[in-house]
Amino acid sequence: MTMLSILTRRRLLQCLAGLGLMPGAAVSQGKGFPDVPPIPAKDGTVLVRLSELLRLGPGGRLLARVIFPETSAPVLGADARDAGHRLLWQLDFEGKAAGNHGDLYENRDRGHSQLPAMAHPQLTHVAYDDEARNAGFDYGFAGPVLFDAPLIGNSSTAIKHGPLWRSLPRMALTREGGSLLLYQNYLAGQMHVYPEHRDHDPEYGDLIPANTPYFLISQGSSGSDRPHLEALAMILAALRPETKAFLHQNQLLAPTVQMIFRRSLTPVRSRATYLSGLAHPSVIPSDQINLIRMVQLANALTPEMVPPMVRLAVLSEDDAVEGVDYFGDGLSERLFDTPAAIARLWRSHAYRRSMVVSAESTRDPTGRGLKLVWRVLRGDPARTRIEPLDDRGLRARISIDWQLPRPVPGRSDILSNRVDIGVFAQIGGQDSVPGLISVLLPQHETRRYGLGPDGEMRIDSRDLRVPQGGYADPILFPQSEWRDVYHYDSAGLLQGWERQGQEGPMQFDAAGRQISETGPVEIRHVVERSPDDVPRIVMQAWSGESVE
């Protein structure tokens, strides 16, 4: 009998709870699925058969329950003798560490960059049957399967060719629904590592469009992810048994592992540094990984010390009008909204933008009082302001002025056009991994702002063309081949703009209509997409004819 059946309403609610779409117990606990037999692991491997997976409602995610046999395998391989390894050996011998029994490892590049089975013998490796492999469930970005056990994984792959080349993290963050899948994996305790492959290098700078806690990105290409995988495996192994169970039950495993990983990086030597951008970059090089510090911090945590996951929501923000403030039918300044990460794109010609963000949904599972701390992690601190709106830091107004690229914290050779705000939950002496708010500025645009008669900055000109040798992500910023020069009256009110592009000079009024000999013409800026070329914006009259 196939398990790909639609759930009853009751079970659907339980599934949605685990996916973070409704409050309640985690899917990972397997509650509410008594008739779904778990898949038995054998000899360190669990074979996932597509026919045995349970479909979790309309979202298309599939649930795999796994049962693990008892094992006498050691926590590490015989060759693991570095300081961090020796500490984990000792903690395991003393019965103070949970080990990796019950943890899964998923390689998603078909062995290209694989964590050796003998390096962490207690890990259970995920394999897929032919039907699942033919459907691509085993390859690339983390697929549709959710597991009811802690999981680490990797895919040392990227989209290397074609006009839409990108790393898997950039692919996930720029495709529809990608951020929700990542958030669901995060709640389920599934943590993957992906290389940045050309997306975080001196040539084009940091191309990752948003900062999130949903995965780890390694600096480099194939194979650069293995040190991060080892660190994740050792953190999971070093956790105390009672702490690990508490984290998994309360959907805090991935947030806490992220906190441990980042708090233990070699450059992060103080609490103040942890609350800065140095601890929360998009991409982490392997030479910053400090295994002994990670093992120490992981094993020191008790359930009472675990900070909650910060949950964010945008209460209000500046609106921008397509066709006037920016151009492109169907485009938005909203990249995504998830509870632990929010991302925006700065399309508008406005000099300043602001938003009010709430963290009031943040709850500590043990009912303790908490304090929220907001920090600028990336961007120009003189042009990025945070105004708390209450004494506990539950709400804040974020105001950002237009700003030029700045070096990535700790990497003077890599520029970033992204502003990151981190929101930390503090309980006692422990800080959570931050909830993140990112705003990406179009690094390819050349803008000129000037003072208006009211003393406020306003747009003077804007060139949307990508300069020679430059780059703009064509999915986020479709090709636009023109420059606009703006005109104002004596009182400072916008009268319109002159467009200089391939069609020759064109005049527009303040409402975005083209000024013609026969009167104003409504213009659409249509995004044309082709499988063989980058998306581009073309102008059409509302009649559907191209503008000459």
Short mmCIF file of all heavy atoms in Angstrom, two decimals, residues 348-405:
data_model
loop_
_atom_site.label_atom_id
_atom_site.label_comp_id
_atom_site.label_asym_id
_atom_site.label_seq_id
_atom_site.Cartn_x
_atom_site.Cartn_y
_atom_site.Cartn_z
N SER A 348 13.43 50.91 -5.33
CA SER A 348 12.94 52.28 -5.40
C SER A 348 14.09 53.27 -5.54
O SER A 348 15.20 53.04 -5.06
CB SER A 348 12.14 52.60 -4.13
OG SER A 348 11.86 53.97 -4.04
N HIS A 349 13.77 54.44 -6.17
CA HIS A 349 14.79 55.50 -6.26
C HIS A 349 14.86 56.33 -4.99
O HIS A 349 15.64 57.29 -4.91
CB HIS A 349 14.53 56.40 -7.47
CG HIS A 349 13.23 57.16 -7.41
ND1 HIS A 349 12.93 58.09 -6.43
CD2 HIS A 349 12.16 57.15 -8.24
CE1 HIS A 349 11.76 58.61 -6.64
NE2 HIS A 349 11.25 58.05 -7.74
N ALA A 350 14.07 55.99 -3.97
CA ALA A 350 14.07 56.74 -2.71
C ALA A 350 15.46 56.73 -2.08
O ALA A 350 16.18 55.73 -2.15
CB ALA A 350 13.04 56.16 -1.75
N TYR A 351 15.80 57.83 -1.43
CA TYR A 351 17.10 57.93 -0.75
C TYR A 351 17.09 57.18 0.58
O TYR A 351 18.12 56.70 1.04
CB TYR A 351 17.45 59.39 -0.52
CG TYR A 351 18.72 59.61 0.27
CD1 TYR A 351 19.97 59.42 -0.32
CD2 TYR A 351 18.68 59.97 1.62
CE1 TYR A 351 21.14 59.59 0.40
CE2 TYR A 351 19.84 60.15 2.35
CZ TYR A 351 21.07 59.96 1.74
OH TYR A 351 22.22 60.14 2.45
N ARG A 352 15.92 57.08 1.18
CA ARG A 352 15.81 56.48 2.53
C ARG A 352 14.63 55.53 2.54
O ARG A 352 13.60 55.78 1.91
CB ARG A 352 15.64 57.56 3.58
CG ARG A 352 15.46 57.06 5.02
CD ARG A 352 15.44 58.24 5.97
NE ARG A 352 16.73 58.93 5.96
CZ ARG A 352 16.87 60.25 6.04
NH1 ARG A 352 15.79 61.05 6.11
NH2 ARG A 352 18.08 60.79 6.02
N ARG A 353 14.78 54.44 3.26
CA ARG A 353 13.66 53.52 3.45
C ARG A 353 13.62 53.10 4.91
O ARG A 353 14.65 53.06 5.60
CB ARG A 353 13.78 52.30 2.54
CG ARG A 353 14.99 51.45 2.79
CD ARG A 353 15.08 50.33 1.76
NE ARG A 353 13.90 49.48 1.79
CZ ARG A 353 13.28 49.05 0.69
NH1 ARG A 353 13.73 49.39 -0.50
NH2 ARG A 353 12.22 48.27 0.79
N SER A 354 12.42 52.80 5.39
CA SER A 354 12.28 52.40 6.79
C SER A 354 11.22 51.30 6.91
O SER A 354 10.36 51.16 6.05
CB SER A 354 11.90 53.59 7.67
OG SER A 354 10.62 54.08 7.33
N MET A 355 11.33 50.55 7.97
CA MET A 355 10.37 49.50 8.26
C MET A 355 10.31 49.30 9.77
O MET A 355 11.28 49.57 10.49
CB MET A 355 10.77 48.19 7.56
CG MET A 355 12.11 47.65 7.99
SD MET A 355 12.83 46.39 6.87
CE MET A 355 11.48 45.28 6.59
N VAL A 356 9.14 48.90 10.25
CA VAL A 356 8.96 48.56 11.67
C VAL A 356 8.85 47.05 11.75
O VAL A 356 8.01 46.43 11.08
CB VAL A 356 7.71 49.24 12.26
CG1 VAL A 356 7.50 48.77 13.70
CG2 VAL A 356 7.86 50.75 12.23
N VAL A 357 9.72 46.45 12.56
CA VAL A 357 9.80 44.99 12.68
C VAL A 357 9.50 44.59 14.12
O VAL A 357 9.95 45.25 15.07
CB VAL A 357 11.18 44.47 12.24
CG1 VAL A 357 11.26 42.95 12.39
CG2 VAL A 357 11.47 44.88 10.81
N SER A 358 8.74 43.53 14.28
CA SER A 358 8.40 43.01 15.60
C SER A 358 9.06 41.67 15.84
O SER A 358 9.15 40.84 14.93
CB SER A 358 6.88 42.85 15.73
OG SER A 358 6.54 42.10 16.89
N ALA A 359 9.54 41.46 17.07
CA ALA A 359 10.02 40.15 17.51
C ALA A 359 9.16 39.65 18.67
O ALA A 359 9.59 38.82 19.46
CB ALA A 359 11.48 40.24 17.93
N GLU A 360 7.92 40.15 18.73
CA GLU A 360 7.04 39.83 19.86
C GLU A 360 6.62 38.37 19.90
O GLU A 360 6.17 37.88 20.93
CB GLU A 360 5.80 40.73 19.80
CG GLU A 360 6.12 42.20 20.03
CD GLU A 360 4.95 43.13 19.69
OE1 GLU A 360 4.68 43.31 18.49
OE2 GLU A 360 4.33 43.65 20.63
N SER A 361 6.74 37.66 18.78
CA SER A 361 6.35 36.24 18.75
C SER A 361 7.43 35.33 19.30
O SER A 361 7.22 34.11 19.40
CB SER A 361 6.01 35.82 17.32
OG SER A 361 4.87 36.50 16.85
N THR A 362 8.58 35.88 19.65
CA THR A 362 9.66 35.08 20.22
C THR A 362 9.23 34.56 21.59
O THR A 362 8.82 35.33 22.45
CB THR A 362 10.94 35.91 20.36
OG1 THR A 362 11.30 36.45 19.10
CG2 THR A 362 12.09 35.07 20.89
N ARG A 363 9.31 33.26 21.78
CA ARG A 363 8.90 32.64 23.03
C ARG A 363 9.98 31.69 23.52
O ARG A 363 10.53 30.91 22.75
CB ARG A 363 7.60 31.86 22.85
CG ARG A 363 6.39 32.71 22.50
CD ARG A 363 5.94 33.53 23.72
NE ARG A 363 4.72 34.27 23.41
CZ ARG A 363 4.70 35.49 22.87
NH1 ARG A 363 5.85 36.09 22.57
NH2 ARG A 363 3.55 36.10 22.65
N ASP A 364 10.24 31.77 24.82
CA ASP A 364 11.17 30.82 25.42
C ASP A 364 10.40 29.57 25.83
O ASP A 364 9.36 29.68 26.50
CB ASP A 364 11.86 31.43 26.63
CG ASP A 364 12.82 30.47 27.28
OD1 ASP A 364 13.87 30.18 26.67
OD2 ASP A 364 12.51 29.96 28.38
N PRO A 365 10.85 28.37 25.44
CA PRO A 365 10.08 27.16 25.76
C PRO A 365 9.95 26.89 27.24
O PRO A 365 9.04 26.17 27.66
CB PRO A 365 10.86 26.05 25.05
CG PRO A 365 12.22 26.60 24.81
CD PRO A 365 12.04 28.08 24.63
N THR A 366 10.84 27.44 28.06
CA THR A 366 10.76 27.22 29.50
C THR A 366 10.07 28.38 30.23
O THR A 366 10.00 28.38 31.45
CB THR A 366 12.16 27.01 30.09
OG1 THR A 366 12.95 28.19 29.87
CG2 THR A 366 12.84 25.82 29.45
N GLY A 367 9.58 29.35 29.48
CA GLY A 367 8.79 30.43 30.07
C GLY A 367 9.58 31.52 30.75
O GLY A 367 9.02 32.35 31.47
N ARG A 368 10.88 31.58 30.51
CA ARG A 368 11.69 32.63 31.14
C ARG A 368 11.51 33.96 30.42
O ARG A 368 11.20 34.02 29.24
CB ARG A 368 13.17 32.24 31.12
CG ARG A 368 13.52 30.98 31.87
CD ARG A 368 14.89 30.48 31.48
NE ARG A 368 14.92 30.07 30.08
CZ ARG A 368 16.01 29.62 29.46
NH1 ARG A 368 17.15 29.55 30.13
NH2 ARG A 368 15.96 29.27 28.19
N GLY A 369 11.72 35.03 31.15
CA GLY A 369 11.73 36.34 30.52
C GLY A 369 12.98 36.51 29.68
O GLY A 369 14.03 35.93 29.97
N LEU A 370 12.85 37.28 28.61
CA LEU A 370 14.01 37.45 27.73
C LEU A 370 14.13 38.90 27.30
O LEU A 370 13.18 39.68 27.38
CB LEU A 370 13.92 36.53 26.52
CG LEU A 370 12.66 36.63 25.62
CD1 LEU A 370 12.84 37.66 24.53
CD2 LEU A 370 12.35 35.28 25.02
N LYS A 371 15.32 39.22 26.84
CA LYS A 371 15.61 40.55 26.32
C LYS A 371 16.08 40.40 24.88
O LYS A 371 16.81 39.47 24.55
CB LYS A 371 16.71 41.22 27.16
CG LYS A 371 17.10 42.60 26.67
CD LYS A 371 18.23 43.17 27.52
CE LYS A 371 18.66 44.54 27.02
NZ LYS A 371 19.81 45.08 27.79
N LEU A 372 15.64 41.33 24.04
CA LEU A 372 16.04 41.29 22.64
C LEU A 372 16.98 42.44 22.34
O LEU A 372 16.72 43.58 22.75
CB LEU A 372 14.81 41.35 21.74
CG LEU A 372 13.92 40.10 21.83
CD1 LEU A 372 12.54 40.37 21.30
CD2 LEU A 372 14.55 38.95 21.08
N VAL A 373 18.05 42.15 21.65
CA VAL A 373 19.08 43.14 21.32
C VAL A 373 19.19 43.22 19.81
O VAL A 373 19.34 42.20 19.13
CB VAL A 373 20.44 42.75 21.95
CG1 VAL A 373 21.51 43.74 21.53
CG2 VAL A 373 20.32 42.70 23.47
N TRP A 374 19.15 44.45 19.27
CA TRP A 374 19.21 44.69 17.83
C TRP A 374 20.57 45.27 17.50
O TRP A 374 21.04 46.21 18.15
CB TRP A 374 18.11 45.65 17.40
CG TRP A 374 16.71 45.20 17.74
CD1 TRP A 374 16.20 44.98 19.00
CD2 TRP A 374 15.66 44.91 16.83
NE1 TRP A 374 14.90 44.58 18.92
CE2 TRP A 374 14.53 44.53 17.60
CE3 TRP A 374 15.55 44.94 15.44
CZ2 TRP A 374 13.31 44.19 17.02
CZ3 TRP A 374 14.33 44.61 14.88
CH2 TRP A 374 13.24 44.23 15.65
N ARG A 375 21.21 44.75 16.45
CA ARG A 375 22.53 45.21 16.06
C ARG A 375 22.63 45.33 14.54
O ARG A 375 22.08 44.52 13.79
CB ARG A 375 23.62 44.23 16.53
CG ARG A 375 23.82 44.18 18.03
CD ARG A 375 24.55 45.42 18.53
NE ARG A 375 24.93 45.30 19.93
CZ ARG A 375 24.16 45.66 20.95
NH1 ARG A 375 22.94 46.13 20.71
NH2 ARG A 375 24.58 45.53 22.20
N VAL A 376 23.40 46.34 14.08
CA VAL A 376 23.77 46.44 12.67
C VAL A 376 24.96 45.51 12.47
O VAL A 376 26.03 45.72 13.02
CB VAL A 376 24.14 47.88 12.29
CG1 VAL A 376 24.60 47.94 10.82
CG2 VAL A 376 22.97 48.83 12.52
N LEU A 377 24.77 44.46 11.68
CA LEU A 377 25.82 43.48 11.42
C LEU A 377 26.62 43.81 10.18
O LEU A 377 27.78 43.42 10.06
CB LEU A 377 25.22 42.08 11.29
CG LEU A 377 24.42 41.57 12.49
CD1 LEU A 377 23.87 40.17 12.19
CD2 LEU A 377 25.26 41.56 13.75
N ARG A 378 25.99 44.49 9.23
CA ARG A 378 26.66 44.82 7.97
C ARG A 378 26.03 46.07 7.40
O ARG A 378 24.83 46.29 7.52
CB ARG A 378 26.55 43.66 6.98
CG ARG A 378 27.25 43.93 5.66
CD ARG A 378 27.18 42.75 4.72
NE ARG A 378 27.91 41.58 5.22
CZ ARG A 378 28.22 40.52 4.49
NH1 ARG A 378 27.86 40.47 3.21
NH2 ARG A 378 28.88 39.50 5.00
N GLY A 379 26.87 46.91 6.77
CA GLY A 379 26.40 48.16 6.21
C GLY A 379 27.05 49.34 6.90
O GLY A 379 27.81 49.19 7.87
N ASP A 380 26.76 50.52 6.41
CA ASP A 380 27.33 51.75 6.96
C ASP A 380 26.58 52.11 8.24
O ASP A 380 25.39 52.45 8.19
CB ASP A 380 27.20 52.88 5.93
CG ASP A 380 27.91 54.14 6.36
OD1 ASP A 380 28.23 54.28 7.55
OD2 ASP A 380 28.14 55.00 5.48
N PRO A 381 27.23 52.05 9.40
CA PRO A 381 26.51 52.33 10.65
C PRO A 381 26.02 53.78 10.74
O PRO A 381 25.05 54.05 11.45
CB PRO A 381 27.56 52.02 11.74
CG PRO A 381 28.88 52.10 11.05
CD PRO A 381 28.64 51.68 9.64
N ALA A 382 26.66 54.70 10.02
CA ALA A 382 26.20 56.08 10.03
C ALA A 382 24.93 56.26 9.19
O ALA A 382 24.21 57.25 9.35
CB ALA A 382 27.29 57.00 9.52
N ARG A 383 24.65 55.31 8.31
CA ARG A 383 23.48 55.40 7.42
C ARG A 383 22.46 54.31 7.71
O ARG A 383 21.51 54.14 6.94
CB ARG A 383 23.94 55.32 5.96
CG ARG A 383 24.83 56.47 5.52
CD ARG A 383 25.41 56.25 4.14
NE ARG A 383 26.26 57.36 3.74
CZ ARG A 383 25.86 58.40 3.02
NH1 ARG A 383 24.60 58.47 2.62
NH2 ARG A 383 26.70 59.36 2.70
N THR A 384 22.66 53.58 8.79
CA THR A 384 21.75 52.51 9.19
C THR A 384 21.41 52.70 10.65
O THR A 384 22.28 52.61 11.51
CB THR A 384 22.39 51.13 8.97
OG1 THR A 384 22.90 51.05 7.63
CG2 THR A 384 21.39 50.02 9.21
N ARG A 385 20.14 52.98 10.93
CA ARG A 385 19.74 53.34 12.29
C ARG A 385 18.64 52.39 12.79
O ARG A 385 17.74 52.01 12.04
CB ARG A 385 19.22 54.78 12.33
CG ARG A 385 20.30 55.80 11.96
CD ARG A 385 19.71 57.18 11.74
NE ARG A 385 18.79 57.20 10.60
CZ ARG A 385 19.20 57.25 9.34
NH1 ARG A 385 20.50 57.27 9.05
NH2 ARG A 385 18.32 57.27 8.36
N ILE A 386 18.76 52.03 14.07
CA ILE A 386 17.77 51.17 14.72
C ILE A 386 17.19 51.95 15.90
O ILE A 386 17.92 52.39 16.79
CB ILE A 386 18.39 49.86 15.22
CG1 ILE A 386 19.03 49.10 14.06
CG2 ILE A 386 17.35 49.00 15.91
CD1 ILE A 386 19.84 47.89 14.49
N GLU A 387 15.88 52.13 15.90
CA GLU A 387 15.20 52.87 16.96
C GLU A 387 14.29 51.91 17.73
O GLU A 387 13.21 51.53 17.24
CB GLU A 387 14.36 54.01 16.37
CG GLU A 387 13.56 54.78 17.40
CD GLU A 387 12.57 55.73 16.75
OE1 GLU A 387 12.58 55.89 15.51
OE2 GLU A 387 11.76 56.32 17.50
N PRO A 388 14.67 51.47 18.94
CA PRO A 388 13.78 50.60 19.72
C PRO A 388 12.48 51.32 20.04
O PRO A 388 12.46 52.53 20.34
CB PRO A 388 14.59 50.31 20.98
CG PRO A 388 16.02 50.61 20.62
CD PRO A 388 15.95 51.73 19.63
N LEU A 389 11.38 50.57 20.01
CA LEU A 389 10.06 51.16 20.24
C LEU A 389 9.45 50.72 21.56
O LEU A 389 8.30 51.08 21.86
CB LEU A 389 9.12 50.81 19.09
CG LEU A 389 9.56 51.30 17.70
CD1 LEU A 389 8.58 50.87 16.63
CD2 LEU A 389 9.72 52.83 17.70
N ASP A 390 10.21 49.96 22.37
CA ASP A 390 9.75 49.59 23.71
C ASP A 390 10.97 49.22 24.54
O ASP A 390 12.07 49.06 24.02
CB ASP A 390 8.75 48.43 23.66
CG ASP A 390 9.33 47.20 23.00
OD1 ASP A 390 10.06 46.46 23.69
OD2 ASP A 390 9.08 46.99 21.81
N ASP A 391 10.78 49.06 25.83
CA ASP A 391 11.90 48.84 26.75
C ASP A 391 12.54 47.47 26.60
O ASP A 391 13.73 47.31 26.91
CB ASP A 391 11.43 49.02 28.20
CG ASP A 391 11.04 50.46 28.50
OD1 ASP A 391 11.49 51.35 27.76
OD2 ASP A 391 10.26 50.67 29.45
N ARG A 392 11.79 46.48 26.13
CA ARG A 392 12.31 45.11 26.04
C ARG A 392 12.91 44.79 24.68
O ARG A 392 13.40 43.69 24.46
CB ARG A 392 11.21 44.11 26.38
CG ARG A 392 10.71 44.18 27.80
CD ARG A 392 9.56 43.21 28.02
NE ARG A 392 9.94 41.85 27.68
CZ ARG A 392 9.05 40.88 27.47
NH1 ARG A 392 7.76 41.14 27.50
NH2 ARG A 392 9.47 39.65 27.17
N GLY A 393 12.84 45.73 23.75
CA GLY A 393 13.38 45.48 22.43
C GLY A 393 12.50 44.58 21.58
O GLY A 393 12.99 43.93 20.66
N LEU A 394 11.20 44.54 21.86
CA LEU A 394 10.30 43.68 21.10
C LEU A 394 10.01 44.23 19.72
O LEU A 394 9.71 43.48 18.79
CB LEU A 394 8.99 43.48 21.87
CG LEU A 394 9.11 42.79 23.23
CD1 LEU A 394 7.75 42.72 23.91
CD2 LEU A 394 9.70 41.39 23.07
N ARG A 395 10.07 45.55 19.57
CA ARG A 395 9.80 46.18 18.27
C ARG A 395 10.85 47.26 18.03
O ARG A 395 11.34 47.89 18.98
CB ARG A 395 8.41 46.80 18.23
CG ARG A 395 7.26 45.79 18.31
CD ARG A 395 5.90 46.47 18.35
NE ARG A 395 5.76 47.27 19.56
CZ ARG A 395 5.57 48.59 19.57
NH1 ARG A 395 5.50 49.26 18.44
NH2 ARG A 395 5.44 49.25 20.71
N ALA A 396 11.15 47.49 16.76
CA ALA A 396 12.12 48.53 16.43
C ALA A 396 11.82 49.07 15.03
O ALA A 396 11.29 48.36 14.17
CB ALA A 396 13.55 48.00 16.49
N ARG A 397 12.16 50.33 14.84
CA ARG A 397 12.09 50.95 13.52
C ARG A 397 13.50 50.97 12.93
O ARG A 397 14.44 51.45 13.55
CB ARG A 397 11.53 52.36 13.59
CG ARG A 397 11.49 53.08 12.21
CD ARG A 397 10.88 54.46 12.29
NE ARG A 397 9.44 54.37 12.54
CZ ARG A 397 8.85 54.66 13.69
NH1 ARG A 397 9.60 55.04 14.74
NH2 ARG A 397 7.55 54.56 13.84
N ILE A 398 13.63 50.44 11.73
CA ILE A 398 14.92 50.39 11.03
C ILE A 398 14.87 51.39 9.89
O ILE A 398 13.96 51.34 9.05
CB ILE A 398 15.20 48.98 10.50
CG1 ILE A 398 15.26 47.98 11.66
CG2 ILE A 398 16.50 48.96 9.70
CD1 ILE A 398 15.26 46.54 11.21
N SER A 399 15.82 52.32 9.85
CA SER A 399 15.90 53.32 8.78
C SER A 399 17.27 53.20 8.12
O SER A 399 18.30 53.17 8.80
CB SER A 399 15.71 54.73 9.34
OG SER A 399 14.45 54.86 9.96
N ILE A 400 17.24 53.14 6.80
CA ILE A 400 18.48 52.94 6.03
C ILE A 400 18.56 54.00 4.95
O ILE A 400 17.59 54.20 4.20
CB ILE A 400 18.53 51.54 5.39
CG1 ILE A 400 18.34 50.45 6.46
CG2 ILE A 400 19.84 51.33 4.65
CD1 ILE A 400 18.19 49.06 5.88
N ASP A 401 19.68 54.69 4.87
CA ASP A 401 19.95 55.63 3.78
C ASP A 401 20.72 54.90 2.68
O ASP A 401 21.46 53.94 2.94
CB ASP A 401 20.78 56.82 4.27
CG ASP A 401 20.04 57.67 5.29
OD1 ASP A 401 18.80 57.53 5.40
OD2 ASP A 401 20.70 58.46 6.00
N TRP A 402 20.54 55.40 1.45
CA TRP A 402 21.31 54.84 0.33
C TRP A 402 22.79 54.88 0.66
O TRP A 402 23.31 55.86 1.20
CB TRP A 402 21.02 55.63 -0.94
CG TRP A 402 21.77 55.11 -2.12
CD1 TRP A 402 22.93 55.60 -2.64
CD2 TRP A 402 21.41 54.00 -2.94
NE1 TRP A 402 23.32 54.86 -3.74
CE2 TRP A 402 22.41 53.86 -3.94
CE3 TRP A 402 20.35 53.08 -2.93
CZ2 TRP A 402 22.37 52.87 -4.92
CZ3 TRP A 402 20.33 52.08 -3.90
CH2 TRP A 402 21.32 51.99 -4.88
N GLN A 403 23.50 53.80 0.37
CA GLN A 403 24.91 53.71 0.75
C GLN A 403 25.69 52.91 -0.28
O GLN A 403 25.12 52.10 -1.02
CB GLN A 403 25.07 53.10 2.14
CG GLN A 403 24.26 51.85 2.38
CD GLN A 403 24.20 51.49 3.86
OE1 GLN A 403 25.05 50.72 4.35
NE2 GLN A 403 23.23 52.01 4.57
N LEU A 404 26.97 53.16 -0.30
CA LEU A 404 27.87 52.52 -1.25
C LEU A 404 28.36 51.18 -0.69
O LEU A 404 28.24 50.92 0.51
CB LEU A 404 29.06 53.43 -1.54
CG LEU A 404 28.71 54.76 -2.22
CD1 LEU A 404 29.96 55.62 -2.37
CD2 LEU A 404 28.03 54.53 -3.56
N PRO A 405 28.91 50.32 -1.54
CA PRO A 405 29.42 49.04 -1.06
C PRO A 405 30.49 49.22 0.02
O PRO A 405 31.25 50.19 0.01
CB PRO A 405 30.01 48.40 -2.32
CG PRO A 405 29.34 49.07 -3.46
CD PRO A 405 29.06 50.47 -3.01
#
